Amino acid sequence: MRFVRQALAIAAKDLRAEMRTKEAWNASLAFALVILLLFSFAFEPTAEQTREIAGGLLWLVFAFAGALILNRSFARELPNDCLDALVASPVAPAALYLGKALASFLLLTAVELVALPVFGVFYNVRWTAQFWPLMLVLVLGTWALTVIGTIFSALTVNLRLRELMLPTLVYPLLVPGLMAAMQLMTPLVVGQPLGPELYDWLKLLAGFDIIFTALSLALVETVLVG
Amino acid sequence: MREKILVGLAGLAGLLLVRNLYVMLLELPDEAAQGAIYRIIFFHVPAAWTAFVCFFVALVASVLYLLRKNLRYDAVAVSATEVGLAFGAVNLVTGMIWARIIWGIWWTWDARLTSMLVCWLLYAGYLMLRRAVEDPTLRARFAAVFSIFAFVDVPIVWFSIKWWRTQHPGPVVWGGGSMDPAMYQMLFLNWVPVLLLGAVLTLLRMRLEETQRAVEALRQFR
């Protein structure tokens, strides 16, 4: 119980700080929209072929936008040595990690929920037809992104070239999770239901989330404290 | 003593390799469907196995480092990973040469190729991460954590890509037929020198790492 309260307090603190500055949110959203625009030059936006790669495109946008949010997650604590204070506080490192992951998760989901309708308009897809299954995939995929992104945000926070190291380390690790999310998203975003052949991918995505949440919770103390 | 073991192991690997090359090139016949090029498998497959052994050694050393905080384990982890990457590169490159001749293309997004490439990129990330951290104990700690993440990820990558590609079949991976027993045996026989070579290279790299650490320690008292 205490653990959950601590995690929620950290998440609320992060979200409050973000609401006031909006630095990660603005950067991430603007970046997502710019990439959506750039994609329209890479191929014909209204062509039938676009529908076949829609899921992949969206998750690329989300992964890029996510990296901007996750970079800030721990970097935000660097001024005034806030990170040292947080680590020294009675908050368990795992609770600190979970709170930060939760805050990044909510922020990234918010960015995605703005990007989705924009995608629907620009690329002429009826993404609301399968709304709830789509939300399920969105939540599972975004959690996969944030759970790995947050632990590596903690790991890279004090490094040289932090902004470059995070995506370089995180994207290859994310391959299975992103692939599952892309497979699932492709039919859903153009309004087709999930076929039973895709249930295995749903299981893979959920399993990916569980494995890496457990691994991150187990290792975060090693990363932050040693 | 250590020097003698190293030279001995390297010599043994060399002898075995010469013997195997003799059998491979002069005694084993060309494969019926593929001709002479099939011989590349005797290095291609053992290189992959050796790479995975290296990554497993790196995982064990990383866990031991986190438990014992002894920098020797970190030296083992980085040496094994580097050698594993070299053998992974051998695997990828020999595979590409074979594919160019048999399939007519350098690369295809088949399950094995893709997962080996992802695996290679993951461990290349490990080395990049090490370069970005100055402090040796911090570097060892972060690298160990990353090594654990990478090792857990590789099997998941393998299964997911296999599913993905079985849904959209790619080109035929292997003739589908089984291998001649003499050739099959050679595959394992040649793994011995390749693995020995991997061990020698890892030990050499470890010595380098320890010397480097000694130099760094001396610099502190300048």
Side-chain angles (χ1 to χ4, degrees), chain B residues 19-219:
Chain B
R19 184 258 167 205
N20 283 349
L21 277 171
Y22 176 80
V23 176
M24 249 177 249
L25 297 174
L26 298 175
E27 289 188 1
L28 285 177
D30 281 0
E31 211 261 350
Q34 299 184 6
I37 187 71
Y38 88 96
R39 288 187 180 83
I40 213 164
I41 197 183
F42 298 133
F43 292 92
H44 176 70
V45 175
W49 289 342
T50 309
F52 287 127
V53 169
C54 285
F55 296 144
F56 182 70
V57 169
L59 170 82
V60 174
S62 297
V63 172
L64 281 173
Y65 174 76
L66 290 180
L67 292 177
R68 307 251 170 91
K69 299 275 150 52
N70 183 341
L71 279 174
R72 281 198 78 130
Y73 292 118
D74 180 54
V76 177
V78 63
S79 312
T81 306
E82 262 191 50
V83 173
L85 267 175
F87 279 100
V90 168
N91 173 260
L92 284 170
V93 171
T94 51
M96 282 165 77
I97 295 169
W98 180 86
R100 179 80 181 104
I101 289 173
I102 300 295
W103 293 340
I105 41 174
W106 291 108
W107 186 265
T108 174
W109 292 101
D110 163 73
R112 289 175 202 220
L113 282 73
T114 316
S115 28
M116 192 63 192
L117 184 64
V118 174
C119 177
W120 199 88
L121 285 174
L122 272 172
Y123 283 98
Y126 173 94
L127 292 186
M128 278 175 41
L129 173 64
R130 293 188 70 93
R131 294 206 142 206
V133 195
E134 303 269 357
D135 177 57
T137 53
L138 208 60
R139 178 169 58 213
R141 206 165 85 207
F142 286 176
V145 169
F146 185 75
S147 189
I148 294 171
F149 266 90
F151 198 87
V152 171
D153 205 44
V154 167
I156 311 179
V157 169
W158 162 242
F159 282 115
S160 58
I161 294 178
K162 215 167 118 183
W163 282 355
W164 178 41
R165 285 312 177 194
T166 40
Q167 285 180 348
H168 308 268
V172 182
V173 178
W174 196 239
S178 56
M179 246 180 144
D180 182 79
M183 295 175 183
Y184 197 64
Q185 202 186 12
M186 191 63 202
L187 204 57
F188 289 92
L189 274 180
N190 209 41
W191 190 25
V192 179
V194 173
L195 194 61
L196 271 177
L197 188 65
V200 170
L201 288 174
T202 309
L203 288 170
L204 276 175
R205 178 66 182 80
M206 266 175 73
R207 214 170 59 173
L208 199 65
E209 185 72 15
E210 275 162 21
T211 315
Q212 201 175 348
R213 202 154 280 155
V215 170
E216 269 170 29
L218 286 174
R219 281 224 175 108

Side-chain angles (χ1 to χ4, degrees), chain A residues 13-35:
Chain A
K13 171 199 86 66
D14 267 23
L15 287 176
R16 203 174 301 128
E18 182 56 39
M19 296 284 258
R20 290 183 186 160
T21 62
K22 298 195 181 61
E23 47 175 21
W25 159 268
N26 282 344
S28 178
L29 188 64
F31 192 58
L33 295 179
V34 168
I35 298 186

